[in-house]
Amino acid sequence: MRRQLPWLAAVILPFTAGASAYIALTPNDPMPLRPPASRHASIEMAPPAAPELPPSEPSSAVPTLSESAKREIEQREHALAAELAKMWTTNPDQLVNVVDDASRNAPVSPSVSMLLAIAHAETNGQILDVSEAGAVGLAQATPIAIRQENMFDDGKMFVTADYLTGSRAYIMKKPLGDADTIASLVVARDTPATRQHAKRLLDSAFALRREGVDELSLLEMFAGKHYAEAINDADQHNLSVLRRLSTLLKHGSRAQLRVFRDKTRREYRALKQTQVVTWARYQYDLIAKRDRMLEQHFGESAKRIWKERPYVAGEYLGDALDVRFSARKQAAFLVRHLERKAQEAKKLAGDEGNVNEMTAALYNGGSHNVKRMLAGLIVSLPETQRYMKKVPATARRLELAAGTYDVSHERTLR
């Protein structure tokens, strides 16, 4: 065995030395091997077609747009009703629902918050209420207002001779009240400055003399042929009264103005008494007929019916007695009439006025009163002035509760 070692060393050692030399001369980063070029390398191969998948189905966990909108509406209505409930509103859920439906179905509508604020201020949700002024229902509509908005159609409306007489007295007494106010200024203090102020007010009285008179013509369908004649006679009398006052302010004495004032005041108070008495009779008659019809139809006491089922009772009365008892029709009327008042308010309020406040004032006091107040012919309208503050405040409260209040709107409202 030992004899073979020199021979192995002679063979293996040269081979090992050559291998080491080769490795030492080889670079550390050998060039990567490349596949041989193909003759078809320039031809791009199309990727295999993806397998056709079955049509997708909507997930029940993702609501559709209509479902999402409906959910938002329901959430908003619930928030509004909850806030109205805090304000001692009767049947707030039904009130919100019927007003919101009317608003969404109208081509043009005021905000739901303003509509609900008006409804709340008028009746607190007592939709079968009848006021001492002959106003009825959710929006406290008068026969004249219903006719203005073409909401009468072929329906029924309870209008009596008492209501017609009271309405005529209510409107036709206004110029006499203006004359009383103007003459009283000079009677209290007769100075050149007072007479000049009285003359300016008289110009406004002439301009507003027929405010509301033309609206009385909407009641002629319920009246006899002498109704329009009586209105015309009263209008001519008012014109002569204002002309007489104009003459006295220029040439009359303080004593003559006092005599004129006292006579005019008696006429004014007589018409006001006529208005109050006849409208009160109308109110009692309508309430009595309302309750009698409810008891005959439902077989229960009227008090229980309009406490437990006012909306059902209202739709029955709306068809059988007076359209103003129907909450659904009253809500549609409210949308139209409040929009009319909003347009009037924009003209009266001007750039610096609060449109919402003026809208509320017009809804409550009527243009004949509000315009006289702005002109200085009426010193104050306490009920209307409280109303015009309360309604916008209630609207803002409802918007905050529903999460729809936009602070940026404050500037546009002023």
Side-chain angles (χ1 to χ4, degrees), residues 31 68 90 152 164 192 202 228 246 313 347 386 409:
M31 293 295 292
S68 180
T90 304
F152 182 54
L164 296 171
L202 182 59
S246 178
K347 297 177 182 178
R386 287 193 298 270
H409 290 171

Side-chain angles (χ1 to χ4, degrees), residues 45-111:
M45 301 297 292
E52 185 175 353
L53 299 176
S56 61
E57 297 181 0
S59 172
S60 59
V62 180
T64 63
L65 289 176
S66 61
E67 290 173 342
S68 180
K70 182 179 179 181
R71 187 177 304 166
E72 290 179 5
I73 291 171
E74 290 174 348
Q75 290 174 348
R76 183 188 62 183
E77 289 182 350
H78 178 73
L80 291 170
E83 195 64 25
L84 284 171
K86 298 176 185 177
M87 294 184 266
W88 305 98
T89 307
T90 304
N91 303 112
D93 294 289
Q94 289 174 288
L95 178 63
V96 171
N97 184 263
V98 74
V99 169
D100 196 38
D101 282 349
S103 176
R104 286 188 285 109
N105 290 328
V108 179
S109 173
S111 67

Side-chain angles (χ1 to χ4, degrees), residues 11-26:
V11 174
I12 294 175
L13 288 177
F15 176 79
T16 303
S20 299
Y22 175 80
I23 292 173
L25 295 175
T26 301

Side-chain angles (χ1 to χ4, degrees), residues 35-51:
S38 172
R39 291 182 302 170
H40 305 288
S42 61
I43 301 177
E44 296 182 359
M45 301 297 292

Side-chain angles (χ1 to χ4, degrees), residues 8 20-21 28 56 92 99 128 132 163 193 199 213 237 248 271 290 298 308 311 316 328 340 364 393 405:
L8 288 173
S20 299
N28 293 332
S56 61
V99 169
L128 303 183
E132 65 275 6
Y163 180 77
K199 289 176 182 178
V213 174
H237 174 69
L248 290 174
L271 285 175
R290 175 200 69 186
F298 292 97
E308 296 180 356
Y311 283 79
Y316 161 69
R328 179 175 53 81
R340 175 193 293 269
N364 176 261
Y405 183 71

